[in-house]
Amino acid sequence: NLVIQRGLISSLPGGYKICRRVTVWGKFRDRRSGKEFYYFDTHFDHKGTNARMHEARMMAAKMKEIAGEKAAVIMSGDLNTTFGNEALAPLREWMSGARETAPVTDSLPTFNGWGAHDLRIDHIFYRRVKVAGYESLVNDAVRYGVPYLSDHNPIVAWFKL
């Protein structure tokens, strides 16, 4: 893929946030098909419930502003809450969850807390693309040589433009 535009969205102003968070984004063109899509990656606040609600609203608004209503859009991130949580409603209203709609998927955790937790708080959302599969890459000490790569397990989704 070829990057044709990129940017940074700063976190919320004022008293909503506990931590400063940013979103990175890019506009890409598939070299084979010539089709374009936008990709956003973010990290929502881990303590402030109101912050996550406002971050989801801001993300939906910024993605609409940057990509428009007709563009293919993929967004991923550590959103620090479960998919069904009300804070993510603005994202669910505009996009679909890859884990929740992929024909091949799993229900494995995304946050392990170095072995202390078993939560699904990292997500991939999409719009105007077709999801082919989703996978949580749970830690495998044999494969990676350590029990945990991070306090979060990597997640991946496959899409067709």
Side-chain angles (χ1 to χ4, degrees):
N1 290 320
L2 175 67
V3 178
I4 54 178
Q5 190 177 3
R6 66 180 184 270
L8 178 76
I9 302 169
S10 185
S11 65
L12 290 165
Y16 292 119
K17 64 185 186 297
I18 302 296
C19 302
R20 181 180 158 108
R21 305 290 191 184
V22 297
T23 298
V24 294
W25 65 272
K27 181 179 181 182
F28 299 87
R29 180 180 303 125
D30 182 78
R31 290 183 179 175
R32 282 182 260 169
S33 70
K35 294 180 180 178
E36 295 179 352
F37 68 97
Y38 288 83
Y39 178 74
F40 295 80
D41 187 64
T42 193
H43 190 176
F44 282 8
D45 198 282
H46 69 295
K47 291 186 179 179
T49 303
N50 286 338
R52 286 190 294 276
M53 193 174 309
H54 289 281
E55 285 168 324
R57 281 189 204 126
M58 183 184 78
M59 278 303 304
K62 284 294 189 179
M63 287 188 290
K64 290 175 187 177
E65 175 187 320
I66 292 166
E69 291 285 342
K70 296 183 180 179
V73 179
I74 300 167
M75 187 201 98
S76 65
D78 173 357
L79 305 186
N80 277 307
T81 193
T82 58
F83 183 81
N85 188 286
E86 187 59 28
L88 301 186
L91 298 174
R92 290 192 311 268
E93 290 165 8
W94 197 62
M95 308 177 89
S96 300
R99 174 197 293 270
E100 293 71 22
T101 59
V104 176
T105 190
D106 64 45
S107 61
L108 297 171
T110 66
F111 178 66
N112 62 61
W114 304 108
H117 297 284
D118 188 14
L119 303 171
R120 288 173 288 287
I121 60 173
D122 302 271
H123 305 281
I124 301 173
F125 284 86
Y126 68 94
R127 170 180 180 83
R128 302 211 183 271
V129 294
K130 183 174 180 168
V131 65
Y134 171 94
E135 184 179 2
S136 301
L137 305 175
V138 294
N139 291 311
D140 180 344
V142 174
R143 185 183 330 176
Y144 303 123
V146 293
Y148 299 100
L149 294 173
S150 166
D151 61 334
H152 290 258
N153 297 323
I155 59 175
V156 63
W158 294 268
F159 295 98
K160 181 172 179 149
L161 294 174

mmCIF file of all heavy atoms in Angstrom, residues 68-88:
data_model
loop_
_atom_site.group_PDB
_atom_site.id
_atom_site.type_symbol
_atom_site.label_atom_id
_atom_site.label_comp_id
_atom_site.label_asym_id
_atom_site.label_seq_id
_atom_site.Cartn_x
_atom_site.Cartn_y
_atom_site.Cartn_z
ATOM 1 N N GLY A 68 -14.836 11.390 5.245
ATOM 2 C CA GLY A 68 -16.133 11.557 4.601
ATOM 3 C C GLY A 68 -17.019 10.344 4.796
ATOM 4 O O GLY A 68 -16.605 9.318 5.336
ATOM 5 N N GLU A 69 -18.232 10.445 4.332
ATOM 6 C CA GLU A 69 -19.225 9.389 4.522
ATOM 7 C C GLU A 69 -19.045 8.206 3.570
ATOM 8 O O GLU A 69 -19.505 7.116 3.857
ATOM 9 C CB GLU A 69 -20.640 9.958 4.341
ATOM 10 C CG GLU A 69 -21.060 10.904 5.441
ATOM 11 C CD GLU A 69 -21.405 10.188 6.753
ATOM 12 O OE1 GLU A 69 -21.649 8.976 6.730
ATOM 13 O OE2 GLU A 69 -21.418 10.876 7.782
ATOM 14 N N LYS A 70 -18.390 8.415 2.424
ATOM 15 C CA LYS A 70 -18.344 7.371 1.398
ATOM 16 C C LYS A 70 -17.039 6.590 1.356
ATOM 17 O O LYS A 70 -16.926 5.614 0.627
ATOM 18 C CB LYS A 70 -18.613 7.991 0.031
ATOM 19 C CG LYS A 70 -20.010 8.560 -0.064
ATOM 20 C CD LYS A 70 -20.302 9.114 -1.424
ATOM 21 C CE LYS A 70 -21.729 9.673 -1.442
ATOM 22 N NZ LYS A 70 -22.082 10.244 -2.704
ATOM 23 N N ALA A 71 -16.041 6.982 2.145
ATOM 24 C CA ALA A 71 -14.725 6.339 2.092
ATOM 25 C C ALA A 71 -14.698 5.034 2.886
ATOM 26 O O ALA A 71 -15.453 4.847 3.839
ATOM 27 C CB ALA A 71 -13.664 7.290 2.634
ATOM 28 N N ALA A 72 -13.803 4.147 2.495
ATOM 29 C CA ALA A 72 -13.507 2.948 3.276
ATOM 30 C C ALA A 72 -12.659 3.386 4.465
ATOM 31 O O ALA A 72 -11.673 4.114 4.296
ATOM 32 C CB ALA A 72 -12.747 1.948 2.419
ATOM 33 N N VAL A 73 -13.057 2.959 5.665
ATOM 34 C CA VAL A 73 -12.374 3.389 6.887
ATOM 35 C C VAL A 73 -12.167 2.186 7.801
ATOM 36 O O VAL A 73 -13.083 1.390 8.006
ATOM 37 C CB VAL A 73 -13.187 4.463 7.645
ATOM 38 C CG1 VAL A 73 -12.485 4.888 8.925
ATOM 39 C CG2 VAL A 73 -13.455 5.668 6.766
ATOM 40 N N ILE A 74 -10.955 2.083 8.359
ATOM 41 C CA ILE A 74 -10.637 1.076 9.370
ATOM 42 C C ILE A 74 -10.056 1.820 10.567
ATOM 43 O O ILE A 74 -9.229 2.711 10.401
ATOM 44 C CB ILE A 74 -9.626 0.039 8.836
ATOM 45 C CG1 ILE A 74 -10.202 -0.685 7.621
ATOM 46 C CG2 ILE A 74 -9.223 -0.941 9.933
ATOM 47 C CD1 ILE A 74 -9.189 -1.501 6.835
ATOM 48 N N MET A 75 -10.505 1.459 11.754
ATOM 49 C CA MET A 75 -9.998 2.066 12.977
ATOM 50 C C MET A 75 -9.673 0.965 13.972
ATOM 51 O O MET A 75 -10.461 0.036 14.153
ATOM 52 C CB MET A 75 -11.039 2.995 13.597
ATOM 53 C CG MET A 75 -10.498 3.780 14.781
ATOM 54 S SD MET A 75 -11.810 4.378 15.865
ATOM 55 C CE MET A 75 -11.752 3.124 17.116
ATOM 56 N N SER A 76 -8.519 1.059 14.604
ATOM 57 C CA SER A 76 -8.165 0.090 15.637
ATOM 58 C C SER A 76 -7.653 0.830 16.857
ATOM 59 O O SER A 76 -7.282 2.002 16.776
ATOM 60 C CB SER A 76 -7.094 -0.878 15.117
ATOM 61 O OG SER A 76 -5.892 -0.183 14.856
ATOM 62 N N GLY A 77 -7.642 0.131 17.975
ATOM 63 C CA GLY A 77 -7.058 0.750 19.148
ATOM 64 C C GLY A 77 -7.381 0.051 20.441
ATOM 65 O O GLY A 77 -8.266 -0.806 20.522
ATOM 66 N N ASP A 78 -6.622 0.459 21.444
ATOM 67 C CA ASP A 78 -6.890 0.081 22.824
ATOM 68 C C ASP A 78 -7.917 1.081 23.317
ATOM 69 O O ASP A 78 -7.588 2.217 23.632
ATOM 70 C CB ASP A 78 -5.594 0.166 23.636
ATOM 71 C CG ASP A 78 -5.801 -0.054 25.126
ATOM 72 O OD1 ASP A 78 -6.960 -0.228 25.561
ATOM 73 O OD2 ASP A 78 -4.804 -0.027 25.854
ATOM 74 N N LEU A 79 -9.175 0.666 23.348
ATOM 75 C CA LEU A 79 -10.259 1.577 23.704
ATOM 76 C C LEU A 79 -10.636 1.474 25.179
ATOM 77 O O LEU A 79 -11.501 2.197 25.657
ATOM 78 C CB LEU A 79 -11.473 1.336 22.807
ATOM 79 C CG LEU A 79 -11.183 1.430 21.306
ATOM 80 C CD1 LEU A 79 -12.465 1.318 20.511
ATOM 81 C CD2 LEU A 79 -10.420 2.684 20.951
ATOM 82 N N ASN A 80 -9.965 0.584 25.895
ATOM 83 C CA ASN A 80 -10.103 0.461 27.344
ATOM 84 C C ASN A 80 -11.528 0.256 27.830
ATOM 85 O O ASN A 80 -11.872 0.641 28.948
ATOM 86 C CB ASN A 80 -9.458 1.659 28.044
ATOM 87 C CG ASN A 80 -7.963 1.448 28.181
ATOM 88 O OD1 ASN A 80 -7.517 0.432 28.696
ATOM 89 N ND2 ASN A 80 -7.190 2.406 27.688
ATOM 90 N N THR A 81 -12.354 -0.361 27.004
ATOM 91 C CA THR A 81 -13.704 -0.747 27.412
ATOM 92 C C THR A 81 -14.204 -1.835 26.473
ATOM 93 O O THR A 81 -13.663 -2.018 25.382
ATOM 94 C CB THR A 81 -14.660 0.467 27.447
ATOM 95 O OG1 THR A 81 -15.859 0.090 28.123
ATOM 96 C CG2 THR A 81 -14.990 0.972 26.058
ATOM 97 N N THR A 82 -15.223 -2.535 26.890
ATOM 98 C CA THR A 82 -15.763 -3.620 26.085
ATOM 99 C C THR A 82 -16.592 -3.084 24.919
ATOM 100 O O THR A 82 -17.064 -1.949 24.951
ATOM 101 C CB THR A 82 -16.635 -4.546 26.962
ATOM 102 O OG1 THR A 82 -17.674 -3.765 27.534
ATOM 103 C CG2 THR A 82 -15.797 -5.205 28.049
ATOM 104 N N PHE A 83 -16.790 -3.913 23.921
ATOM 105 C CA PHE A 83 -17.477 -3.508 22.694
ATOM 106 C C PHE A 83 -18.883 -2.974 22.963
ATOM 107 O O PHE A 83 -19.305 -1.992 22.365
ATOM 108 C CB PHE A 83 -17.541 -4.682 21.710
ATOM 109 C CG PHE A 83 -18.181 -4.322 20.400
ATOM 110 C CD1 PHE A 83 -17.456 -3.674 19.421
ATOM 111 C CD2 PHE A 83 -19.508 -4.630 20.155
ATOM 112 C CE1 PHE A 83 -18.046 -3.330 18.207
ATOM 113 C CE2 PHE A 83 -20.106 -4.299 18.954
ATOM 114 C CZ PHE A 83 -19.367 -3.640 17.977
ATOM 115 N N GLY A 84 -19.617 -3.606 23.840
ATOM 116 C CA GLY A 84 -20.989 -3.206 24.102
ATOM 117 C C GLY A 84 -21.152 -2.029 25.045
ATOM 118 O O GLY A 84 -22.271 -1.553 25.243
ATOM 119 N N ASN A 85 -20.071 -1.528 25.594
ATOM 120 C CA ASN A 85 -20.158 -0.406 26.524
ATOM 121 C C ASN A 85 -20.736 0.821 25.832
ATOM 122 O O ASN A 85 -20.421 1.110 24.678
ATOM 123 C CB ASN A 85 -18.770 -0.088 27.091
ATOM 124 C CG ASN A 85 -18.816 0.933 28.192
ATOM 125 O OD1 ASN A 85 -19.008 2.119 27.937
ATOM 126 N ND2 ASN A 85 -18.633 0.475 29.415
ATOM 127 N N GLU A 86 -21.588 1.544 26.536
ATOM 128 C CA GLU A 86 -22.260 2.721 25.984
ATOM 129 C C GLU A 86 -21.270 3.770 25.462
ATOM 130 O O GLU A 86 -21.585 4.510 24.534
ATOM 131 C CB GLU A 86 -23.187 3.334 27.039
ATOM 132 C CG GLU A 86 -24.042 4.457 26.515
ATOM 133 C CD GLU A 86 -24.952 4.058 25.351
ATOM 134 O OE1 GLU A 86 -25.347 2.885 25.259
ATOM 135 O OE2 GLU A 86 -25.253 4.928 24.504
ATOM 136 N N ALA A 87 -20.086 3.827 26.034
ATOM 137 C CA ALA A 87 -19.089 4.807 25.592
ATOM 138 C C ALA A 87 -18.746 4.641 24.113
ATOM 139 O O ALA A 87 -18.403 5.620 23.443
ATOM 140 C CB ALA A 87 -17.817 4.696 26.438
ATOM 141 N N LEU A 88 -18.835 3.427 23.592
ATOM 142 C CA LEU A 88 -18.473 3.175 22.190
ATOM 143 C C LEU A 88 -19.646 3.320 21.223
ATOM 144 O O LEU A 88 -19.498 3.070 20.027
ATOM 145 C CB LEU A 88 -17.842 1.792 22.038
ATOM 146 C CG LEU A 88 -16.570 1.539 22.855
ATOM 147 C CD1 LEU A 88 -15.977 0.189 22.507
ATOM 148 C CD2 LEU A 88 -15.551 2.644 22.662
#
